[in-house]
Coordinates of all heavy atoms in Angstrom, one line a residue:
T1 N 2.8 -16.3 -10.4 CA 2.3 -16.7 -11.7 C 3.3 -17.5 -12.5 O 3.0 -18.4 -13.2 CB 2.0 -15.4 -12.6 OG1 3.1 -14.5 -12.5 CG2 0.7 -14.7 -12.0
N2 N 4.6 -17.3 -12.2 CA 5.6 -18.1 -12.9 C 5.6 -19.6 -12.3 O 5.7 -20.5 -13.1 CB 7.0 -17.6 -12.6 CG 7.4 -16.4 -13.5 OD1 7.1 -16.4 -14.7 ND2 7.9 -15.3 -12.9
D3 N 5.3 -19.7 -11.0 CA 5.2 -21.1 -10.5 C 4.0 -21.8 -11.1 O 4.0 -23.0 -11.4 CB 4.9 -21.0 -8.9 CG 6.1 -20.5 -8.2 OD1 7.3 -20.7 -8.7 OD2 5.9 -19.9 -7.1
I4 N 2.9 -21.0 -11.2 CA 1.6 -21.6 -11.8 C 1.9 -22.1 -13.2 O 1.5 -23.2 -13.6 CB 0.5 -20.6 -11.7 CG1 0.1 -20.3 -10.2 CG2 -0.7 -21.2 -12.4 CD1 -0.8 -19.2 -10.0
A5 N 2.5 -21.2 -14.0 CA 2.7 -21.5 -15.4 C 3.7 -22.7 -15.6 O 3.4 -23.6 -16.4 CB 3.3 -20.3 -16.1
R6 N 4.7 -22.7 -14.7 CA 5.7 -23.8 -14.8 C 5.0 -25.1 -14.4 O 5.2 -26.1 -15.1 CB 6.9 -23.5 -13.9 CG 7.9 -24.6 -13.9 CD 9.2 -24.2 -13.2 NE 8.9 -23.8 -11.8 CZ 8.9 -22.5 -11.4 NH1 9.2 -21.5 -12.2 NH2 8.7 -22.3 -10.1
T7 N 4.2 -25.1 -13.4 CA 3.6 -26.4 -12.9 C 2.5 -26.8 -13.9 O 2.4 -28.0 -14.1 CB 2.9 -26.1 -11.5 OG1 3.9 -25.6 -10.6 CG2 2.3 -27.4 -11.0
A8 N 1.8 -25.9 -14.5 CA 0.8 -26.2 -15.5 C 1.4 -26.6 -16.9 O 0.7 -27.2 -17.7 CB -0.2 -25.1 -15.7
G9 N 2.7 -26.2 -17.1 CA 3.3 -26.5 -18.3 C 2.9 -25.6 -19.4 O 2.8 -26.0 -20.6
V10 N 2.5 -24.4 -19.1 CA 2.1 -23.4 -20.1 C 3.1 -22.2 -20.1 O 3.7 -21.9 -19.1 CB 0.7 -22.9 -19.9 CG1 -0.3 -24.1 -19.9 CG2 0.6 -22.1 -18.6
N11 N 3.2 -21.5 -21.2 CA 4.0 -20.4 -21.3 C 3.5 -19.2 -20.4 O 2.3 -19.1 -20.4 CB 4.1 -19.9 -22.8 CG 5.2 -18.9 -23.0 OD1 5.0 -17.7 -22.6 ND2 6.3 -19.3 -23.6
I12 N 4.3 -18.5 -19.8 CA 3.8 -17.4 -18.9 C 3.1 -16.4 -19.7 O 2.1 -15.8 -19.2 CB 5.0 -16.7 -18.2 CG1 4.5 -15.7 -17.1 CG2 6.0 -16.1 -19.1 CD1 3.7 -16.3 -16.0
A13 N 3.5 -16.2 -21.0 CA 2.7 -15.2 -21.8 C 1.3 -15.7 -22.1 O 0.4 -14.9 -22.2 CB 3.5 -15.0 -23.2
T14 N 1.2 -17.0 -22.2 CA -0.2 -17.6 -22.4 C -1.1 -17.3 -21.2 O -2.2 -17.0 -21.3 CB -0.1 -19.1 -22.7 OG1 0.7 -19.3 -23.8 CG2 -1.5 -19.7 -22.8
L15 N -0.5 -17.5 -20.0 CA -1.2 -17.3 -18.7 C -1.7 -15.8 -18.7 O -2.8 -15.5 -18.3 CB -0.3 -17.6 -17.5 CG -1.0 -17.5 -16.2 CD1 -0.3 -18.5 -15.2 CD2 -0.8 -16.1 -15.6
Y16 N -0.8 -14.9 -19.1 CA -1.1 -13.5 -19.0 C -2.1 -13.0 -20.0 O -2.7 -12.0 -19.9 CB 0.1 -12.6 -19.1 CG 0.9 -12.5 -17.8 CD1 2.3 -12.7 -17.8 CD2 0.3 -12.2 -16.6 CE1 3.0 -12.6 -16.6 CE2 1.0 -12.1 -15.4 CZ 2.4 -12.3 -15.4 OH 3.0 -12.3 -14.2
Q17 N -2.3 -13.9 -21.0 CA -3.4 -13.5 -22.0 C -4.8 -13.5 -21.3 O -5.7 -12.8 -21.7 CB -3.4 -14.6 -23.1 CG -2.3 -14.4 -24.2 CD -2.4 -15.5 -25.2 OE1 -3.4 -16.2 -25.3 NE2 -1.4 -15.6 -26.1
Y18 N -4.9 -14.4 -20.3 CA -6.2 -14.6 -19.6 C -6.3 -14.0 -18.3 O -7.3 -13.5 -17.8 CB -6.5 -16.1 -19.6 CG -6.5 -16.8 -20.9 CD1 -5.4 -17.5 -21.3 CD2 -7.6 -16.6 -21.8 CE1 -5.4 -18.1 -22.6 CE2 -7.6 -17.2 -23.0 CZ -6.5 -18.0 -23.4 OH -6.5 -18.6 -24.6
F19 N -5.1 -13.9 -17.5 CA -5.2 -13.5 -16.2 C -4.1 -12.4 -15.9 O -2.9 -12.7 -16.2 CB -4.9 -14.6 -15.2 CG -5.9 -15.8 -15.4 CD1 -5.5 -16.9 -16.0 CD2 -7.2 -15.7 -14.8 CE1 -6.4 -18.0 -16.2 CE2 -8.1 -16.7 -15.0 CZ -7.7 -17.9 -15.6
P20 N -4.5 -11.2 -15.5 CA -3.5 -10.1 -15.3 C -2.6 -10.3 -14.1 O -1.5 -9.8 -14.1 CB -4.4 -8.9 -15.1 CG -5.7 -9.4 -14.6 CD -5.9 -10.7 -15.3
K21 N -3.0 -11.2 -13.2 CA -2.2 -11.5 -12.0 C -2.7 -12.7 -11.3 O -3.8 -13.2 -11.6 CB -2.1 -10.3 -11.1 CG -3.4 -9.8 -10.6 CD -3.3 -8.6 -9.7 CE -4.6 -8.0 -9.2 NZ -4.5 -6.9 -8.3
K22 N -2.0 -13.2 -10.3 CA -2.5 -14.5 -9.7 C -3.8 -14.3 -9.0 O -4.6 -15.2 -8.9 CB -1.4 -15.0 -8.7 CG -1.2 -14.2 -7.4 CD -0.2 -14.8 -6.5 CE 0.0 -14.0 -5.2 NZ 1.0 -14.6 -4.3
E23 N -4.0 -13.1 -8.4 CA -5.3 -12.9 -7.7 C -6.5 -13.0 -8.7 O -7.6 -13.4 -8.3 CB -5.3 -11.5 -7.1 CG -4.5 -11.4 -5.8 CD -3.0 -11.2 -6.2 OE1 -2.7 -11.0 -7.3 OE2 -2.2 -11.2 -5.2
A24 N -6.3 -12.7 -10.0 CA -7.4 -12.9 -10.9 C -7.6 -14.4 -11.1 O -8.8 -14.8 -11.4 CB -7.0 -12.3 -12.3

């Protein structure tokens, strides 16, 4: 999830607002 957030240029906390884990 850190890789995804970094590549997308979004904060990891923002990613976790919508997705509990990468499988989601």
Side-chain angles (χ1 to χ4, degrees):
T1 49
N2 281 316
D3 293 333
I4 295 169
R6 182 170 56 253
T7 305
V10 301
N11 190 287
I12 188 65
T14 299
L15 184 149
Y16 280 132
Q17 285 181 9
Y18 303 102
F19 303 103
K21 55 183 180 178
K22 71 177 183 182
E23 286 80 8

